[in-house]
Amino acid sequence: MICYMFVLGMEMDPYVIFKAPSRNAMVAYAGMVPTIILVCSITPLLHYYQHPTIGFTLSLSTTLSGSSSHILTRLITSLKIGKSDIGKLVIAAGMHSDMISMLLVSIGYLCFPTAITISDFAANIRMTLTMAAALLLQIIFTATVSPIFMNWVNNENPEGKPMKGSHLVLSVAFMAFVCSVAPIYGYSPILSAFLAGVFLPSEGRVSKWAVGKINYLLPTIFYPVFFFWMGFHADFSKFEASHWGTWGRFLVLVFITVFGKVIGTVICGVMLGFHQRESAELGLLLTAKGHFHVFLAVVGLLLNITTTTTSISIIIVIFLSVLPTPLVVSQIIKRARKRAPTQRVALEWLDPSNELRILLCIQGVHNVLSTINFMEISQGASDPGILVYLTDMVELTDQIASTLVQEGMDTVTVMDKDVTEMRDQISTAVQAYVEENGNGITLRRMLALSTFNGMAKDICNLAEDLMISLVILPFHKNRHANGTLDGGNPGFRYVNRKVLRNAPCSVGILVDRGYGLVEKISKSVSSFQVAVIFFGGKDDREALAYAGRVARHPGVKLTVIRFLLDSDSVTASRRAGNCRINAAVQEQEMKLDDESFAQFYERHIAGGHVSYSEKHVANSAETYATLRSLEGQYGLIIVGRGGRVNSILTIGMNDWQQCPELGPVGDVLSGSDSSHTTSVLIIQQHSLKGELDGVDDEFSIM
């Protein structure tokens, strides 16, 4: 329990109680106060304990009014409403409720210690004052000295390198010391560990290491032992199930636990403007209890404060408190699906006032220059700017796996020399660019370390968790010195194709055929030639939306090339007759194309900064010839992967594709017989979801 409470404390911020009550805090308080009032007014009349004590009544009130933040967070995230407004509110309110109830128990122990019984009133007062002074000294020391010590250890042991053994020993010794000051003078070591954890810094490598190690040990060792210990002392043979009074007192506990929370959150919801149904659901979700509440029930039995029947009743109520959660969450997701039938995660619908989140993948040092140039032309205005998660794609081999160091349940450090050197070189080069020229660019470093079979899933999970709008993948073929492309890595090609199928956002594949050799793009002179090709369809609209950001760069000369069907051609008419599609769908797509292009024309082309040309072609053969004529004229060509309803202009081009994942147009522009100096960016728009999956989707029902 000492380890469990220590980790619980480290995940809490005690200073929030000194700030003006937030919405989360108000919900937490509203759920706790009615429950405490009900416990203090009803339970003394029903003989739940052998000897009436104020300490037990207060302990029972905090047990039934609190929430287990560990259990609640795990339930909400596993049931997949963690990013909804009600999910965020429940997690935050649960954390606040857990902290307040634990602080009440910690303060209450000073007045009603369970381990020491002294009949002399004066001696009791002296003992309370001694424990209070020791606890206050421990808190002040932890709050003032531990940040200095932890920062020193963190600075001496940067991320990505193994921690020094001496510093590790010192850190563990320091944590043990700050937990043991108050218990020397009679205070509970379990509550002392909680308070020490509360005032220790939660950020930094040492803190994350300690939390990760303990969280790894909890389900492995602690929980099995804990539940065995609980079952050993909760002797069901002594449970008086035949007495009606037992079930009456049990039902009263259930009523207090549920009704107190629900009535409090409903009243609070009225004040905050919530719907009554959602307010009641908040109360039901906040009833979830956890391990410490079970621990208190068993301790009451061991200290002969309660009977076996009472303790078992409390334990059963605690276990039942978790049962409403799945039912409530299923109703929340059901209503959210009706209110949010689609989810659009694409550049075309991105709010211009929001920053653009890009997951920029990189295979190695050879991709650094093209990565920097991509960031340069994509940054747009400094406000709101872009947030770039630069992600290394590293194949997990047996050699690399042998060098991994486990630092927690979900955290590992890669110690392979080649990988660490590669990542250091990439970080140094890109960070230097951001510091010098990256006004409006926020850089984060990520790592996709997996086998090729699992790498695509890791990238998609990252994109979903980080709420990415655009994933950029490097082409699986690399450029030779003479401009030609090599045979490529089939593993990375498999990853690219799988990401295209499963990504939760738009995806781009960058074919570097000299893009990385472009010198620093000027911010004052339009020197870098970029073209965007527009046939029509959702992917081309997405490419046009991205080109809108590129058009804002003063060093880019952007040209929009729109391919149109030559209506005077007899061949085109015959082709159109042979390629019949749903007329309503085609009309809707053409309407969207015209609206999107009209907006782009008004914003960028009409002002004269962006050039515009039209290519009238009759069939795919003319399309192919026109595309080949563009070679060498531009440093970068942006094109949609596919998604075209009217495919007359590209029909038949699929027959000779070398890389279908690039689409018919992208494949022509990046083929082995194409220009050796023109790079290509192929973009695929995110496909709309028919309904919310519930997998960490953002939705609002409050």
Side-chain angles (χ1 to χ4, degrees):
M1 285 303 297
I2 290 175
C3 294
Y4 173 82
M5 297 298 289
F6 180 73
V7 169
L8 183 65
M10 289 195 71
E11 294 176 349
M12 296 180 178
D13 179 14
Y15 302 104
V16 297
I17 62 177
F18 302 110
K19 301 177 183 178
S22 63
R23 188 175 68 164
N24 309 328
M26 293 175 66
V27 171
Y29 297 146
M32 294 182 66
V33 172
T35 309
I36 293 175
I37 294 174
L38 289 174
V39 171
C40 294
S41 58
I42 296 178
T43 56
L45 307 177
L46 298 179
H47 307 291
Y48 281 95
Y49 33 73
Q50 296 183 2
H51 306 288
T53 62
I54 299 176
F56 172 77
T57 302
L58 295 177
S59 178
L60 182 60
S61 65
T62 53
T63 299
L64 297 184
S65 65
S67 303
S68 175
S69 55
H70 262 182
I71 298 296
L72 202 52
T73 302
R74 179 65 62 88
L75 284 172
I76 294 298
T77 53
S78 63
L79 293 172
K80 303 169 184 178
I81 63 166
K83 288 185 179 177
S84 66
D85 55 356
I86 192 170
K88 294 176 182 177
L89 181 58
V90 167
I91 291 175
M95 181 69 73
H96 208 93
S97 176
D98 202 6
M99 182 177 66
I100 295 300
S101 62
M102 289 304 309
L103 290 176
L104 291 176
V105 171
S106 301
I107 295 171
Y109 189 89
L110 294 173
C111 304
F112 307 101
T114 59
I116 302 173
T117 303
I118 303 176
S119 57
D120 186 4
F121 178 76
N124 271 325
I125 295 296
R126 285 195 299 271
M127 177 60 68
T128 298
L129 293 176
T130 301
M131 288 192 297
L135 187 61
L136 183 62
L137 178 64
Q138 173 183 300
I139 291 173
I140 294 174
F141 179 83
T142 305
T144 55
V145 177
S146 61
I148 301 173
F149 175 78
M150 292 295 191
N151 288 336
W152 172 74
V153 175
N154 291 329
N155 293 334
E156 292 292 319
N157 298 272
E159 293 284 352
K161 295 184 179 180
M163 287 189 65
K164 298 175 183 178
S166 57
H167 292 166
L168 198 58
V169 172
L170 282 174
S171 301
V172 174
F174 181 82
M175 293 177 186
F177 172 73
V178 296
C179 291
S180 61
V181 175
I184 296 176
Y185 297 93
Y187 192 72
S188 167
I190 296 173
L191 298 177
S192 175
F194 168 75
L195 292 173
V198 165
F199 289 96
L200 276 170
S202 59
E203 298 296 327
R205 189 175 181 189
V206 175
S207 299
K208 292 179 180 177
W209 173 86
V211 171
K213 288 294 184 184
I214 295 176
N215 278 335
Y216 177 75
L217 292 175
L218 287 179
T220 307
I221 299 176
F222 168 73
Y223 292 155
V225 173
F226 173 81
F227 286 112
F228 179 84
W229 171 82
M230 178 203 70
F232 178 78
H233 290 289
D235 188 354
F236 275 82
S237 64
K238 298 180 181 179
F239 183 68
E240 299 172 348
S242 59
H243 295 180
W244 67 268
T246 299
W247 296 108
R249 286 189 289 270
F250 169 76
L251 293 176
V252 168
L253 290 178
V254 174
F255 170 79
I256 291 174
T257 303
V258 176
F259 182 77
K261 286 285 187 183
V262 171
I263 195 65
T265 54
V266 168
I267 294 174
C268 181
V270 172
M271 298 170 57
L272 296 176
F274 297 160
H275 301 297
Q276 288 190 0
R277 182 171 182 175
E278 282 72 30
S279 300
E281 288 171 341
L282 275 175
L284 289 173
L285 292 173
L286 288 173
T287 59
K289 306 293 187 288
H291 302 84
F292 185 72
H293 304 99
V294 176
F295 176 78
L296 289 179
V298 178
V299 167
L301 174 63
L302 296 180
L303 296 177
N304 293 321
I305 298 175
T306 63
T307 62
T308 302
T309 300
T310 300
S311 291
I312 292 177
S313 297
I314 296 173
I315 292 172
I316 295 174
V317 170
I318 291 171
F319 278 97
L320 291 178
S321 67
V322 182
L323 293 183
T325 305
L327 301 176
V328 172
V329 169
S330 66
Q331 293 299 313
I332 290 173
I333 294 178
K334 184 178 180 180
R335 295 202 307 280
R337 283 174 173 165
K338 295 179 180 179
R339 300 186 188 185
T342 59
Q343 181 192 32
R344 298 179 172 183
V345 187
L347 302 182
E348 185 179 357
W349 301 296
L350 180 67
D351 187 347
S353 63
N354 294 338
E355 66 180 355
L356 173 61
R357 291 170 170 255
I358 300 177
L359 188 70
L360 187 51
C361 299
I362 186 169
Q363 296 172 4
V365 179
H366 59 278
N367 297 135
V368 168
L369 295 179
S370 60
T371 295
I372 291 175
N373 284 333
F374 178 84
M375 293 167 60
E376 173 65 31
I377 68 172
S378 304
Q379 58 183 296
S382 58
D383 185 19
I386 61 174
L387 176 57
V388 178
Y389 290 91
L390 188 60
T391 305
D392 299 300
M393 302 169 67
V394 179
E395 181 190 8
L396 181 61
T397 62
D398 292 339
Q399 178 182 348
I400 295 177
S402 64
T403 65
L404 298 180
V405 177
Q406 186 83 26
E407 291 194 351
M409 187 177 298
D410 301 316
T411 306
V412 294
T413 300
V414 184
M415 305 303 300
D416 184 80
K417 183 179 179 181
D418 293 337
V419 175
T420 54
E421 288 181 354
M422 179 196 73
R423 299 199 75 207
D424 289 343
Q425 292 179 37
I426 294 172
S427 298
T428 301
V430 178
Q431 190 63 47
Y433 157 75
V434 172
E435 292 175 358
E436 183 179 355
N437 303 292
N439 185 26
I441 298 178
T442 304
L443 182 67
R444 299 282 187 270
R445 292 288 278 122
M446 306 296 291
L447 174 63
L449 176 64
S450 178
T451 61
F452 285 132
N453 285 332
M455 189 176 294
K457 182 179 179 181
D458 289 347
I459 292 173
C460 292
N461 288 341
L462 278 175
E464 189 170 22
D465 294 341
L466 301 174
M467 292 178 286
I468 298 297
S469 298
L470 179 63
V471 173
I472 297 296
L473 301 166
F475 193 41
H476 69 279
K477 296 181 180 181
N478 297 316
R479 182 181 183 275
H480 289 306
N482 61 0
T484 59
L485 298 176
D486 61 16
N489 187 322
F492 284 121
R493 183 183 188 185
Y494 173 79
V495 172
N496 290 355
R497 299 176 75 166
K498 202 168 181 181
V499 171
L500 285 168
R501 287 196 302 269
N502 303 311
C505 60
S506 296
V507 181
I509 296 181
L510 180 60
V511 182
D512 180 12
R513 307 199 73 167
Y515 189 40
L517 301 179
V518 177
E519 296 182 359
K520 181 180 177 181
I521 300 175
S522 173
K523 289 185 180 292
S524 57
V525 180
S526 298
S527 58
F528 187 57
Q529 298 288 334
V530 179
V532 56
I533 295 176
F534 189 86
F535 286 87
K538 62 186 185 67
D539 291 351
D540 282 3
R541 293 196 298 271
E542 190 75 351
L544 196 66
Y546 172 73
R549 299 189 66 89
V550 177
R552 300 189 188 104
H553 195 286
V556 172
K557 180 59 177 176
L558 179 66
T559 301
V560 178
I561 304 172
R562 187 172 190 181
F563 281 70
L564 298 171
L565 179 63
D566 188 352
S567 57
D568 296 332
S569 172
V570 177
T571 305
S573 300
R574 187 169 62 250
R575 286 278 189 175
N578 294 333
C579 300
R580 297 196 178 276
I581 57 173
N582 188 308
V585 174
Q586 182 177 6
E587 184 178 351
Q588 178 66 20
E589 283 295 311
M590 292 177 65
K591 181 180 177 181
L592 292 174
D593 290 342
D594 291 339
E595 290 177 355
S596 178
F597 203 89
Q599 291 178 3
F600 185 90
Y601 190 98
E602 183 179 350
R603 291 178 184 175
H604 304 289
I605 299 176
H609 179 64
V610 176
S611 301
Y612 172 63
S613 67
E614 294 180 352
K615 302 293 183 180
H616 293 267
V617 293
N619 49 48
S620 58
E622 293 185 14
T623 300
Y624 179 82
T626 306
L627 291 173
R628 294 300 300 268
S629 68
L630 301 177
E631 296 176 1
Q633 299 182 35
Y634 304 98
L636 175 67
I637 296 180
I638 305 169
V639 65
R641 177 172 180 256
R644 303 176 182 94
V645 174
N646 187 357
S647 60
I648 298 171
L649 301 182
T650 58
I651 190 170
M653 293 173 62
N654 297 337
D655 297 342
W656 58 78
Q657 283 187 106
Q658 299 176 5
C659 298
E661 65 269 23
L662 303 181
V665 179
D667 186 74
V668 170
L669 294 172
S670 58
S672 58
D673 56 347
S674 300
S675 172
H676 295 170
T677 59
T678 300
S679 300
V680 186
L681 176 63
I682 300 95
I683 295 181
Q684 172 186 276
Q685 187 180 83
H686 175 232
S687 297
L688 297 181
K689 297 181 179 179
E691 60 181 21
L692 285 170
D693 290 341
V695 185
D696 290 330
D697 288 338
E698 281 198 291
F699 59 88
S700 175
I701 66 168
M702 296 296 291

